Amino acid sequence: GQQVMQIPQYQHVQEGEDFTTYCNSSTTLSNIQWYKQRPGGHPVFLIQLVKSGEVKKQKRLTFQFGEAKKNSSLHITATQTTDVGTYFCAGVRDTDKLIFGTGTRLQVFP
Amino acid sequence: EAQVTQNPRYLITVTGKKLTVTCSQNMNHEYMSWYRQDPGLGLRQIYYSMNVEVTDKGDVPEGYKVSRKEKRNFPLILESPSPNQTSLYFCASSAGGAYNEQFFGPGTRLTVL
């Protein structure tokens, strides 16, 4: 069954508010990848984290990999309407299988 | 332009009628995989392939077949589709296996009546 859960499932925010999605795995992950899927589109790679406790930033997006390498988070500061979409985390299991999280759908109201 | 293509993009079919969804990539990637996306379940891996003639089951392989005769192509075959296979399907490829960035195709929306 699903081994990578994300919360929340949905989030509606006012433009300018912050947003965070959390990714939790039942097992230790070798790395964590984050993807964004715009409505009607396909997943697009955002970033990859490899080290325990790693933090990476992309403009208003901050990605964090937990110390135990079982959880991760994506934080968006001051959301914009262009941030609308579904955000997925993904981790490698059994060396060559990529397991995606359940996703968090973000809606931003202007 | 580097890309992953899928065909068809939309398909409505009936139970039991064999179908194939094609996937092709022009990036010389060794790793290719198929996912299905269903509401609330995210993306679930159906099959993946590490290289030509090497395929393996993902998390939800039942009812699907794949083949990898050439590096660029990775077709998904539904021998006898059933309504529970109605879903959005994505093909993806990567240069570094599961550990690296996955490049996704545009998706195929399949409805099985």
Side-chain angles (χ1 to χ4, degrees):
Chain A
Q2 195 81 41
Q3 296 184 350
V4 180
M5 303 300 294
Q6 280 182 254
I7 54 171
Q9 190 173 3
Y10 301 100
Q11 183 86 58
H12 298 169
V13 300
Q14 202 76 33
E15 189 173 22
E17 291 182 337
D18 291 356
F19 159 77
T20 304
T21 173
Y22 300 91
C23 175
N24 297 293
S25 170
S26 56
T27 57
T28 301
L29 301 170
S30 304
N31 67 358
I32 196 89
Q33 300 171 24
W34 283 93
Y35 292 80
K36 176 183 178 181
Q37 183 181 23
R38 294 183 187 274
H42 58 275
V44 174
F45 178 82
L46 293 175
I47 207 163
Q48 177 172 266
L49 305 170
V50 179
K51 299 176 184 176
S52 169
E54 188 170 14
V55 178
K56 285 189 176 180
K57 292 190 176 185
Q58 285 181 349
K59 298 183 180 178
R60 295 177 294 104
L61 278 61
T62 302
F63 304 84
Q64 189 165 4
F65 200 8
E67 294 289 341
K69 301 184 80 174
K70 295 177 73 173
N71 56 72
S72 181
S73 64
L74 158 60
H75 179 81
I76 302 178
T77 302
T79 55
Q80 300 175 358
T81 54
T82 53
D83 295 325
V84 166
T86 301
Y87 293 84
F88 292 100
C89 63
V92 177
R93 193 186 75 196
D94 300 337
T95 305
D96 46 22
K97 291 183 182 177
L98 191 59
I99 307 300
F100 278 80
T102 46
T104 295
R105 185 172 164 189
L106 173 64
Q107 183 63 259
V108 180
F109 295 107
Chain B
E1 180 191 354
Q3 60 181 351
V4 178
T5 57
Q6 291 179 230
N7 282 292
R9 295 290 313 279
Y10 303 90
L11 179 61
I12 300 174
T13 189
V14 295
T15 299
K17 188 176 181 182
K18 180 179 179 179
L19 67 92
T20 299
V21 184
T22 65
C23 173
S24 184
Q25 50 94 6
N26 62 1
M27 295 170 279
N28 202 37
H29 287 168
E30 293 181 343
Y31 186 88
M32 296 185 74
S33 55
W34 276 102
Y35 296 88
R36 61 177 290 174
Q37 183 175 15
D38 302 290
L41 298 177
L43 292 147
R44 293 180 293 167
Q45 195 176 52
I46 303 170
Y47 268 95
Y48 63 96
S49 170
M50 299 291 288
N51 213 326
V52 176
E53 302 292 359
V54 180
T55 63
D56 214 336
K57 296 177 181 178
D59 280 339
V60 289
E62 295 78 20
Y64 304 94
K65 284 175 57 177
V66 293
S67 68
R68 189 89 182 273
K69 294 184 172 61
E70 306 164 284
K71 199 172 190 178
R72 63 183 293 126
N73 297 322
F74 190 45
L76 179 69
I77 304 155
L78 284 72
E79 295 270 3
S80 183
S82 61
N84 63 13
Q85 292 179 298
T86 292
S87 187
L88 178 58
Y89 291 87
F90 287 102
C91 178
S93 72
S94 166
Y99 288 96
N100 286 88
E101 175 180 359
Q102 306 295 308
F103 292 84
F104 282 83
T108 295
R109 185 164 292 280
L110 172 66
T111 301
V112 183
L113 302 175

